[in-house]
C-alpha cells in the first residue's frame, strides 16, 4: 500500500468481495489509517451467505498458511507444529448467524462476521474449515458442498457491510454499504 498509483487506498478486499472501501483524502489521513488498520480502532463487519446452518455464534482461531500445492488457495493449520512448519499467520474470526433460508430443499445462512486480523481469504478459509463454506465459493467448497450450492451464486457471497473507524481524538466514522443485487436471491 502507498505505492504510486495506490496512494489513498487504505486496504484491499479479496477479488469478488463487495462492500466498503476506505480511501484517505490526504497523505496524513492515509498514514494514520494504515497505522491503526489492524487494531481494535477498526471494526470490519462482513456479511456472508454460507451453505448450511452454522451454530448461532462462534469463534475460529485456527492459523492460516498458503496452500502447499495451489497458489490460489490458503489453508488452516490444525496443529501448532504444522503452523510453524508452514509459517502460518494467526487469524481470528467471530461469526453470528443472522438468518436461515431454505432454497430448493437446501439450507443457507446469512452470517455476520468480524475479523481482527486480515489474512488472505481468512473468512472463506475459516468458514469452510467448520463445514460452512461461502455460497458461490468454488475454491473452498469440496464436491459435496458444491452439490449443495445455489447456481445463482456466481461469486463467493461476501460483503464488507460496515466499517467503523475510531480516529485519534475519539472521532468515530461509520460507513455502510447496501447489499449488492446477488444477495437478493435469498
Amino acid at each position: 500500500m502507498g505505492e504510486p498509483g495506490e496512494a489513498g487506498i487504505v486496504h484491499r478486499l479479496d477479488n469478488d468481495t463487495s462492500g466498503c472501501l476506505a480511501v484517505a483524502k490526504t497523505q496524513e489521513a492515509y498514514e494514520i489509517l494504515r497505522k491503526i488498520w489492524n487494531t481494535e480502532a477498526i471494526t470490519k463487519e462482513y456479511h456472508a451467505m454460507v451453505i448450511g446452518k452454522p451454530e448461532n455464534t462462534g469463534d475460529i482461531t485456527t492459523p492460516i498458511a498458503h496452500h502447499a500445492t495451489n497458489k490460489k488457495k490458503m489453508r488452516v493449520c490444525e496443529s501448532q507444529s504444522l503452523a510453524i512448519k508452514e509459517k502460518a499467520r494467526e487469524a481470528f474470526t467471530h461469526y453470528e448467524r443472522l438468518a436461515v433460508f431454505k432454497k430448493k430443499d437446501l439450507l443457507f445462512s446469512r452470517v455476520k462476521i468480524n475479523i481482527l486480523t486480515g489474512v488472505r481469504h481468512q473468512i472463506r478459509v475459516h468458514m469452510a474449515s467448520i463445514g460452512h463454506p461461502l455460497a458461490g465459493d468454488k475454491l473452498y467448497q469440496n464436491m459435496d458442498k458444491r452439490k449443495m450450492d445455489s447456481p445463482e451464486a456466481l461469486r463467493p457471497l461476501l460483503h464488507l457491510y460496515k466499517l467503523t473507524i475510531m480516529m485519534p481524538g475519539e472521532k468515530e466514522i461509520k460507513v455502510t454499504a447496501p447489499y449488492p443485487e446477488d444477495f437478493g436471491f435469498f
Side-chain angles (χ1 to χ4, degrees), residues 20 160-163 174-178:
C20 300
L160 181 48
Y161 177 72
K162 184 183 346 180
L163 271 177
K174 285 187 182 185
V175 181
T176 60

Side-chain angles (χ1 to χ4, degrees), residues 78-140:
E78 296 291 344
S79 71
Q80 184 64 24
S81 61
L82 181 60
I84 291 168
K85 178 184 172 192
E86 298 292 326
K87 298 178 182 161
R89 292 180 56 196
E90 289 185 8
F92 179 83
T93 303
H94 174 77
Y95 72 89
E96 295 176 37
R97 191 179 71 229
L98 299 175
V100 178
F101 304 89
K102 191 170 187 179
K103 184 173 177 65
K104 297 180 184 176
D105 297 325
L106 300 173
L107 283 181
F108 295 89
S109 298
R110 181 178 295 137
V111 293
K112 177 174 81 169
I113 300 168
N114 293 99
I115 60 173
L116 296 180
T117 50
V119 179
R120 180 179 179 220
H121 295 185
Q122 177 176 330
I123 293 170
R124 296 167 65 188
V125 174
H126 269 173
M127 294 308 292
S129 76
I130 63 167
H132 299 285
L134 274 61
D137 194 352
K138 306 301 184 250
L139 187 60
Y140 291 103

Side-chain angles (χ1 to χ4, degrees), residues 11-31:
H11 68 108
R12 297 179 302 115
L13 295 174
D14 286 343
N15 289 344
D16 297 325
T17 299
S18 57
C20 300
L21 189 64
V23 179
K25 288 184 177 181
T26 67
Q27 186 64 32
E28 179 185 11
Y30 173 82
E31 290 170 10

